[in-house]
Amino acid sequence: MTTPLSRYFLSIALSIFTFSIAAADDWKPLFDGKSFDGWKQLGGKAEYSIEKGEIVGRSVADTPNSFLTTEKNYTDFVLEFEFWVQDGLNSGVQFRSMSKPEYRDGRVHGYQYELDTSSRAWTAGIFDEANRGWLYPVEYNSTARSLFKNEQWNRGRIECVGNEVQTFLNGRQVSHLVDDRAITGFIGLQVHSIRDASHANYQVRWRNLRINTKSPELSRSEDIYIRNVAPNTLSKPEKNRGWEFLFDGKNTAAWKGTSNVDPFNKNGWIVKNGSLTIQPGGKGGQIVTKKTYGAFELDFDFNLAKGANSGVKYFVVDHAEPGASKSQYLGLEYQVLDDKVHPDGVKGAVGNRTTASLYDLIPSYRKVNTRNVPLYIGKWNHGRIVSHLNGTIEHWLNGFKVVEYERGTNIYEVLIARSKYAEIENFGLSEEGHILLQDHKDLVSYRSIKIREL
Amino acid sequence: MTTPLSRYFLSIALSIFTFSIAAADDWKPLFDGKSFDGWKQLGGKAEYSIEKGEIVGRSVADTPNSFLTTEKNYTDFVLEFEFWVQDGLNSGVQFRSMSKPEYRDGRVHGYQYELDTSSRAWTAGIFDEANRGWLYPVEYNSTARSLFKNEQWNRGRIECVGNEVQTFLNGRQVSHLVDDRAITGFIGLQVHSIRDASHANYQVRWRNLRINTKSPELSRSEDIYIRNVAPNTLSKPEKNRGWEFLFDGKNTAAWKGTSNVDPFNKNGWIVKNGSLTIQPGGKGGQIVTKKTYGAFELDFDFNLAKGANSGVKYFVVDHAEPGASKSQYLGLEYQVLDDKVHPDGVKGAVGNRTTASLYDLIPSYRKVNTRNVPLYIGKWNHGRIVSHLNGTIEHWLNGFKVVEYERGTNIYEVLIARSKYAEIENFGLSEEGHILLQDHKDLVSYRSIKIREL
């Protein structure tokens, strides 16, 4: 099946306004339509052939991931291609990728533009093959999950300039990644290994591959989430959107303590190696932002020692009586916990004290779109809280939305009334509040804490 | 301010397909543009004048609702008019209305096409002035709440044929009412009384009033909720949409008992005067529909004696162990209770055992769009449950949506886990279930029980 030509040209016409225009002769075909000159096969033994000027990859049983790769390396470029994938096959387009004897015996690794026929529908998401895994799961931009056309020709586009990557599918932007590496590498057409022998001889096809290395430019980004995996950095597009640091690896000026103890001394919160770390058994106490926030987007990385407990609270206000000697900062909590080891992980109800849960209120989903939501111990996790102008609040963990609710509704009220917060008047209902990091005297580190007001 | 002409004509062009086309000469102007010939003023002393061929009503302090009414009466007709309302004023267009010495000293009463500048935005809803109150609050069709253009000219249309009324605003349908009366009466232009003297001299304007009594026809209804206030009747448009009776005032064949007691004898559920009534202190037991339902819309009227308790359950399945001697029908409950008097009304949490609440789970809103949601004792109330195909479920009470939730989410799970249903496995999660009426041995009546599958 192919798309009717008229629809195809219409969608090209519509997308022209999004993309930067490069002179026609800045583009070079990446494949001559006749031969594999300039290409070589790496990895598994999937079959690659040329039919009707198209590259056809066919899956083969009992072989690992296979890659037909360019001999040349590319750093900054815009790549365009069309692809057709048989339902049931997973595939991808590698870029800035490598195969080196010293890395896992030549295992192909690097960025992959995902081709995904499954119900997850993450086509055009960015996966770091045989390395860091998913960098831009399409959950971040879930409306883009409907762009892929199953067993039809689709148009892909990859823009790599400096440390930014943008991907497009059928004329719409899918992902926007900022990385700390601007590496060089080959382009490669993947045929994924298959688990089920009945999926042997499944096809993926590519055609009209062309590359622009002369005038590569990033298109103006659509208003989608920008995922920056470079620790403690703010990229230019993030700054343009209004993102600011609450902690950039060094500066703690955005924070103050809530106890009489100075949190930033050797007893409390320690800044070291780009991290803000709770001193185990220390006396730092909670810290809160000096500013308050209403509608906002908060991004942070956290790293839990085994069994450790902390938390990120928001809409935090001081509930102490006027004139009280001690402050009582309370708010809604994004739980941060080694929930498999720490005893609080199984308390509360149906898992509502696990990491990324709205603490003691709403459990974090452990599965989203059939995928397990990962939580790493002793490694960095990525947390995200979005408080929308319309009152909806989202918790994200490692690329998955795991909690969504609305403050002040009848459901919110009953959740509060049947939680440990039942006796606190107007709990979590202030118009604005501080962000708070919780000190449970356990070894927990934070970094890349960023916020933007909505 | 007026709408740009081009937009005006565009919207006329778009709406032409909705309305039945009447020959041009079937229409008669209702107002000659120059004089109030054929009109008279009733009720209060608001000022009516003619300016630029428009009827201008001006509010006056310390006077009741005023009406400029036609001397003629109309039964079946289509009425079109344009109106402009000053922000802050409430107004309306009466139709099939009357003023009779024997009814409250000539008080004007009858249908009103509401003109509503408040944030509630119920313009083109149907109110029964000085009689039954709101018959079609625009909550039933809440997307229509955005159709009214404040301090601009709007186009109204009223279709009255037989016992059906349809109203339109700026080319879109707002309400669809089925009544048990097809009365005759005048048309009247209302200026509402004002509470705040600073609102004196506020204006409402009407122009281009025309009526078709020669070939009045109902336009094909948009897919909006049809409110039928005639007890135990199914109108033709409801039948076309797939509505069926579960109880029509006489027939109980859709139901069966869940105990060994025959519910339809003198000890149980009694059919009398068009009602299905629980015998106080009787032994009817619960009754359930013989059929099961998944996605459905359920409509019912209920009438509570003082202090009485009942309930309408759905997604009801028998949770008894295989081979058990007694059935155990359990499901999600739309609470039916005199919640001000019965002690259960204040149990549970934050009102989640009041009428129309999802029993012991989610409290019914008592206010919607600044309006108190009424509950009548010893009179008929209108209940409604919608179980959408997408998994969302709504509870309605007397024209207001008071509960909305989704089965099976993380929020649903924690609500269950912290309720009286905590120990019941898979509570409320079956794909389909019976509808159940609860017998608490209190005097509660039901009528007009209708269902349609979605």
Side-chain angles (χ1 to χ4, degrees):
Chain A
M1 277 187 293
T2 53
T3 315
L5 265 187
S6 57
R7 206 201 299 165
Y8 179 76
F9 284 114
L10 178 65
S11 62
I12 286 182
L14 287 174
S15 62
I16 244 168
F17 300 102
T18 315
F19 300 144
S20 56
I21 312 296
D25 57 3
D26 289 352
W27 290 94
K28 291 244 162 62
L30 202 64
F31 165 62
D32 64 13
K34 294 172 238 160
S35 73
F36 285 138
D37 288 355
W39 296 82
K40 63 179 174 188
Q41 186 164 348
L42 296 173
K45 302 289 176 212
E47 287 164 15
Y48 292 90
S49 59
I50 299 170
E51 296 172 16
K52 294 189 271 175
E54 300 160 12
I55 298 174
V56 184
R58 285 191 172 80
S59 53
V60 168
D62 301 323
T63 194
N65 289 355
S66 307
F67 303 89
L68 182 69
T69 66
T70 60
E71 285 166 352
K72 270 198 200 160
N73 285 335
Y74 300 90
T75 310
D76 286 356
F77 62 86
V78 178
L79 176 69
E80 289 191 345
F81 52 98
E82 294 173 69
F83 60 96
W84 184 107
V85 198
Q86 189 165 356
D87 195 11
L89 190 64
N90 181 289
S91 185
V93 174
Q94 296 292 137
F95 56 103
R96 285 186 177 177
S97 291
M98 282 173 275
S99 163
K100 301 204 164 174
E102 65 269 25
Y103 187 84
R104 293 170 58 179
D105 278 337
R107 178 71 166 86
V108 168
H109 60 285
Y111 291 136
Q112 181 182 126
Y113 176 109
E114 171 83 358
L115 305 187
D116 183 3
T117 61
S118 77
S119 63
R120 189 183 61 178
W122 283 1
T123 295
I126 302 173
F127 182 75
D128 192 1
E129 175 81 8
N131 195 354
R132 294 169 294 177
W134 278 103
L135 300 179
Y136 203 103
V138 187
E139 299 302 313
Y140 283 137
N141 181 13
S142 67
T143 57
R145 294 175 61 229
S146 61
L147 294 173
F148 174 70
K149 293 178 285 186
N150 202 24
E151 297 201 350
Q152 295 183 44
W153 284 99
N154 294 271
R155 289 175 301 115
R157 180 178 167 110
I158 299 168
E159 299 175 347
C160 273
V161 179
N163 61 348
E164 280 185 68
V165 180
Q166 296 191 148
T167 67
F168 298 80
L169 174 57
N170 294 323
R172 296 303 303 272
Q173 185 168 5
V174 176
S175 58
H176 191 161
L177 176 71
V178 178
D179 204 343
D180 45 0
R181 355 191 152 170
I183 46 181
T184 192
F186 54 68
I187 286 160
L189 308 178
Q190 187 206 46
V191 176
H192 206 281
S193 63
I194 50 173
R195 272 180 227 167
D196 178 350
S198 75
H199 283 189
N201 211 26
Y202 271 39
Q203 286 183 28
V204 47
R205 289 167 174 261
W206 292 273
R207 70 181 184 193
N208 295 336
L209 297 98
R210 64 176 195 162
I211 194 163
N212 176 357
T213 55
K214 264 197 171 168
S215 54
E217 262 183 65
L218 296 165
S219 302
R220 190 180 154 176
S221 181
E222 291 185 29
D223 190 18
I224 64 170
Y225 178 65
I226 300 168
R227 174 70 179 124
N228 180 353
V229 297
N232 296 319
T233 65
L234 262 187
S235 63
K236 201 173 143 198
E238 287 171 288
K239 284 179 193 156
N240 290 343
R241 297 266 180 90
W243 284 96
E244 289 176 1
F245 273 122
L246 291 178
F247 177 69
D248 65 356
K250 292 173 192 159
N251 192 332
T252 60
W255 301 89
K256 63 177 183 179
T258 66
S259 62
N260 295 325
V261 182
D262 173 10
F264 301 108
N265 64 19
K266 64 180 178 178
N267 291 318
W269 295 79
I270 292 174
V271 178
K272 202 176 159 184
N273 298 330
S275 299
L276 179 59
T277 302
I278 299 154
Q279 180 80 337
K283 289 180 178 168
Q286 327 301 342
I287 59 173
V288 293
T289 53
K290 293 172 183 166
K291 278 185 70 177
T292 58
Y293 301 90
F296 64 86
E297 202 173 344
L298 177 74
D299 240 60
F300 54 98
D301 290 347
F302 63 92
N303 191 326
L304 287 156
K306 190 171 176 182
N309 185 5
S310 179
V312 178
K313 298 186 181 183
Y314 52 97
F315 287 111
V316 169
V317 290
D318 186 355
H319 282 255
E321 299 285 326
S325 63
K326 251 181 108 181
S327 60
Q328 200 195 359
Y329 282 89
L330 300 173
L332 297 158
E333 180 177 356
Y334 177 111
Q335 167 77 318
V336 172
L337 183 78
D338 179 357
D339 49 38
K340 288 223 170 63
V341 172
H342 192 287
D344 206 30
V346 294
K347 291 185 185 164
V350 291
N352 66 0
R353 296 190 179 184
T354 59
T355 283
S357 293
L358 179 63
Y359 185 71
D360 203 51
L361 296 167
I362 304 172
S364 167
Y365 281 116
R366 309 324 285 173
K367 271 198 174 189
V368 174
N369 287 334
T370 75
R371 302 276 297 189
N372 290 319
V373 178
L375 171 67
Y376 310 111
I377 303 303
K379 286 169 65 179
W380 289 101
N381 297 276
H382 177 225
R384 188 176 168 224
I385 300 166
V386 189
S387 163
H388 291 281
L389 278 164
N390 69 7
T392 306
I393 294 176
E394 303 170 1
H395 287 189
W396 291 72
L397 174 60
N398 291 322
F400 293 91
K401 182 163 69 181
V402 290
V403 164
E404 184 168 4
Y405 69 102
E406 197 178 334
R407 293 194 303 157
T409 61
N410 52 357
I411 290 176
Y412 179 90
E413 279 182 19
V414 73
L415 288 171
I416 299 290
R418 287 183 167 166
S419 76
K420 61 178 280 191
Y421 306 113
E423 302 303 321
I424 302 164
E425 224 172 317
N426 291 319
F427 177 75
L429 287 175
S430 62
E431 258 187 65
E432 294 200 335
H434 304 274
I435 312 292
L436 179 151
L437 298 183
Q438 218 179 13
D439 176 1
H440 272 295
K441 305 185 195 305
D442 288 344
L443 181 63
V444 179
S445 296
Y446 292 91
R447 72 178 186 191
S448 304
I449 312 177
K450 305 171 186 181
I451 199 161
R452 73 163 178 150
E453 295 188 67
L454 300 178
Chain B
M1 276 186 296
T2 53
T3 316
L5 264 185
S6 57
R7 206 201 300 163
Y8 178 77
F9 283 115
L10 178 65
S11 63
I12 286 181
L14 288 172
S15 61
I16 244 167
F17 299 103
T18 315
F19 300 142
S20 57
I21 312 295
D25 57 3
D26 289 351
W27 290 94
K28 290 246 160 62
L30 202 62
F31 165 61
D32 64 13
K34 291 172 239 160
S35 72
F36 285 141
D37 287 357
W39 296 80
K40 63 180 172 185
Q41 185 163 349
L42 296 173
K45 301 290 175 212
E47 287 165 14
Y48 293 89
S49 59
I50 301 171
E51 296 173 17
K52 294 188 273 177
E54 299 159 14
I55 297 175
V56 184
R58 285 190 171 82
S59 54
V60 166
D62 301 322
T63 194
N65 289 355
S66 308
F67 304 89
L68 182 70
T69 66
T70 59
E71 286 167 351
K72 271 198 201 161
N73 286 335
Y74 300 91
T75 309
D76 286 357
F77 61 86
V78 178
L79 175 69
E80 290 190 345
F81 52 97
E82 294 172 67
F83 60 97
W84 185 106
V85 198
Q86 188 165 356
D87 195 12
L89 190 65
N90 183 287
S91 187
V93 174
Q94 296 293 138
F95 56 102
R96 285 187 178 175
S97 292
M98 281 172 276
S99 162
K100 302 206 166 174
E102 65 270 25
Y103 187 83
R104 293 170 60 179
D105 278 338
R107 177 72 166 86
V108 169
H109 60 285
Y111 291 136
Q112 180 183 125
Y113 177 109
E114 171 82 357
L115 307 186
D116 183 3
T117 62
S118 78
S119 62
R120 189 184 61 180
W122 282 3
T123 295
I126 302 173
F127 182 75
D128 192 1
E129 175 82 8
N131 195 354
R132 293 169 295 175
W134 278 101
L135 300 179
Y136 203 103
V138 187
E139 299 302 314
Y140 283 136
N141 181 13
S142 67
T143 56
R145 294 176 61 230
S146 61
L147 296 173
F148 174 70
K149 293 178 285 186
N150 201 24
E151 297 201 351
Q152 294 183 45
W153 284 100
N154 294 272
R155 289 176 301 115
R157 180 179 165 109
I158 300 166
E159 299 175 348
C160 274
V161 179
N163 62 346
E164 281 186 68
V165 180
Q166 297 191 148
T167 66
F168 297 80
L169 173 58
N170 294 322
R172 296 303 303 272
Q173 186 168 4
V174 176
S175 58
H176 191 160
L177 176 71
V178 177
D179 204 343
D180 45 1
R181 354 190 155 171
I183 45 182
T184 192
F186 54 69
I187 287 159
L189 308 179
Q190 188 207 44
V191 175
H192 207 281
S193 63
I194 51 174
R195 271 180 227 166
D196 180 349
S198 74
H199 283 189
N201 210 27
Y202 270 39
Q203 287 184 26
V204 48
R205 290 169 173 259
W206 292 273
R207 69 181 186 194
N208 296 336
L209 296 98
R210 62 175 197 163
I211 194 162
N212 175 357
T213 55
K214 268 198 168 167
S215 55
E217 262 184 63
L218 296 165
S219 302
R220 189 179 157 177
S221 182
E222 292 185 28
D223 189 19
I224 64 170
Y225 178 65
I226 301 168
R227 174 69 180 125
N228 179 354
V229 297
N232 296 319
T233 65
L234 263 187
S235 62
K236 202 175 146 197
E238 287 171 289
K239 284 180 194 154
N240 290 343
R241 297 264 182 90
W243 285 95
E244 290 175 1
F245 274 121
L246 290 179
F247 177 70
D248 63 358
K250 293 175 194 160
N251 192 332
T252 60
W255 302 89
K256 63 177 183 180
T258 66
S259 63
N260 294 326
V261 182
D262 174 9
F264 302 107
N265 64 20
K266 63 180 177 177
N267 291 318
W269 295 78
I270 291 174
V271 178
K272 203 175 160 187
N273 298 330
S275 299
L276 180 60
T277 300
I278 299 155
Q279 179 81 337
K283 288 180 178 170
Q286 327 301 343
I287 59 172
V288 294
T289 54
K290 292 172 184 166
K291 278 185 69 177
T292 58
Y293 302 89
F296 64 86
E297 202 172 344
L298 176 72
D299 241 59
F300 53 99
D301 291 346
F302 62 93
N303 191 327
L304 286 157
K306 190 173 176 179
N309 186 5
S310 179
V312 178
K313 298 186 181 183
Y314 52 97
F315 287 110
V316 169
V317 291
D318 187 355
H319 282 256
E321 299 285 327
S325 64
K326 251 183 106 180
S327 61
Q328 199 195 1
Y329 282 90
L330 299 173
L332 297 158
E333 180 177 357
Y334 176 111
Q335 167 76 320
V336 172
L337 184 77
D338 178 358
D339 50 39
K340 286 221 173 63
V341 172
H342 193 287
D344 206 29
V346 294
K347 290 183 186 165
V350 292
N352 67 1
R353 295 189 180 185
T354 59
T355 284
S357 294
L358 180 63
Y359 185 72
D360 203 50
L361 296 168
I362 304 173
S364 166
Y365 281 117
R366 308 324 284 173
K367 269 197 175 192
V368 174
N369 288 333
T370 77
R371 301 276 298 190
N372 290 318
V373 178
L375 170 66
Y376 310 110
I377 303 304
K379 287 169 65 180
W380 289 101
N381 297 276
H382 177 226
R384 188 175 167 225
I385 300 166
V386 189
S387 163
H388 291 279
L389 278 165
N390 69 5
T392 306
I393 293 176
E394 302 169 2
H395 288 189
W396 291 70
L397 174 58
N398 291 322
F400 292 92
K401 182 162 69 179
V402 290
V403 164
E404 184 168 4
Y405 69 102
E406 197 179 334
R407 292 194 305 158
T409 62
N410 52 357
I411 289 176
Y412 179 90
E413 279 181 17
V414 73
L415 288 172
I416 299 290
R418 287 184 167 164
S419 76
K420 62 179 281 191
Y421 306 112
E423 303 305 322
I424 302 163
E425 225 172 316
N426 292 319
F427 177 77
L429 287 174
S430 61
E431 260 186 64
E432 292 199 336
H434 304 273
I435 312 291
L436 179 151
L437 298 183
Q438 217 177 13
D439 176 2
H440 273 294
K441 306 187 193 304
D442 290 344
L443 180 63
V444 179
S445 296
Y446 292 90
R447 72 176 185 191
S448 304
I449 312 177
K450 306 171 185 182
I451 198 161
R452 72 163 179 152
E453 296 190 64
L454 299 178

